[in-house]
Amino acid sequence: MNLIFLGAPGSGKGTQAEIIEKAKGLCKLSTGDMLRAAVKAGTEVGRKAEAVMQAGGLVSDEIVIGIIADKIASVECKNGFILDGFPRTIAQAEALDKMLATNGMKIHKVIELAVDEDILVERISGRYSCAKCGTGYHDKFKKPKHDSACDNCGSHEFIRRKDDNAETVKARLEAYNAQTAPLKPYYEQKGKLVAIDAMQEISAVTESLEKIIQAA
Ligand code: AMP
């Protein structure tokens, strides 16, 4: 099963992809995570992407298509994948269609995680993640279960993303509305788009997703 989670920054794509990845044995492919890892490692891709990410813009189609291309048909993803944060432009969606066709693969469903814009900022400003394993948390909505230790790996070290600040968030929302929202009609025309209410509690959103995946 190959899925795309589509939604604005803060809509919960990463959180839900993490849960569904474990529950269904799928592989989460997040271009944001891959780019942050490239920045941290100081690779050529990382050096090219860093300033754009910090400003809240979109990294070039060429770069993100390149980093996703060798993943979708990889052995780790043999049970299927969840794309989180990709595609973000029509050009990326078209490139993805070509890559899939070449490999005899397809997208089964594109699930839009719909959230009102005023809620997104609150969600983004409270989030952080484990510095060791990357599990995501939120000051208000998802604290670690035991004191300040990561539920997944027990680490006590947490980090906040540099681009989760008010100014950058505004630019990221603008980029979403201008460049990514047009993917909704693109996938609707192909009969692949399903929208869910992602303003519910995390567990209720997961339930909605599982129903769609079951029926797909
Ligand atoms: P995310 O973690 O998905 O919110 O992505 C963080 C940042 O990485 C975005 O604001 C973009 O600058 C960049 N990025 C991630 N995925 C893409 C993509 N598919 N296309 C262009 N830029 C991306």
Side-chain angles (χ1 to χ4, degrees), residues 33-45:
D33 286 351
M34 292 175 205
L35 289 167
R36 278 185 288 280
V39 170
K40 202 170 165 197
T43 65
E44 197 190 336
V45 163

Side-chain angles (χ1 to χ4, degrees), residues 31-32 35-36 53 57-59 64 85-86 88 92 161 172:
T31 40
L35 289 167
R36 278 185 288 280
M53 291 171 78
L58 292 188
V59 174
V64 287
F86 180 92
R88 255 177 161 97
Q92 291 177 21
R161 282 171 47 170
R172 286 162 65 199

Side-chain angles (χ1 to χ4, degrees), residues 9 16 22 33 45 54-55 57 66-67 70 73 108 112 119 122 125 138 141 181 187 196-198 205 210:
Q16 293 297 336
K22 288 192 187 120
D33 286 351
V45 163
Q54 189 55 37
I67 62 172
D70 52 343
H108 296 81
E112 183 201 351
I119 293 177
E122 186 195 18
S125 53
H138 193 280
F141 307 118
Y187 285 117
I196 60 165
D197 173 5
V205 176
E210 283 183 329

Side-chain angles (χ1 to χ4, degrees), residues 1-3 21 24-29 70-82 103-106 108:
M1 163 97 35
N2 300 322
L3 304 167
E21 170 184 47
K24 303 281 172 201
L26 300 175
C27 142
K28 171 183 151 179
L29 296 177
D70 52 343
K71 299 275 180 188
I72 57 162
S74 65
V75 210
E76 312 99 83
C77 297
K78 64 179 189 310
N79 293 332
F81 55 74
I82 305 166
N103 289 290
M105 298 164 78
K106 68 168 188 169
H108 296 81

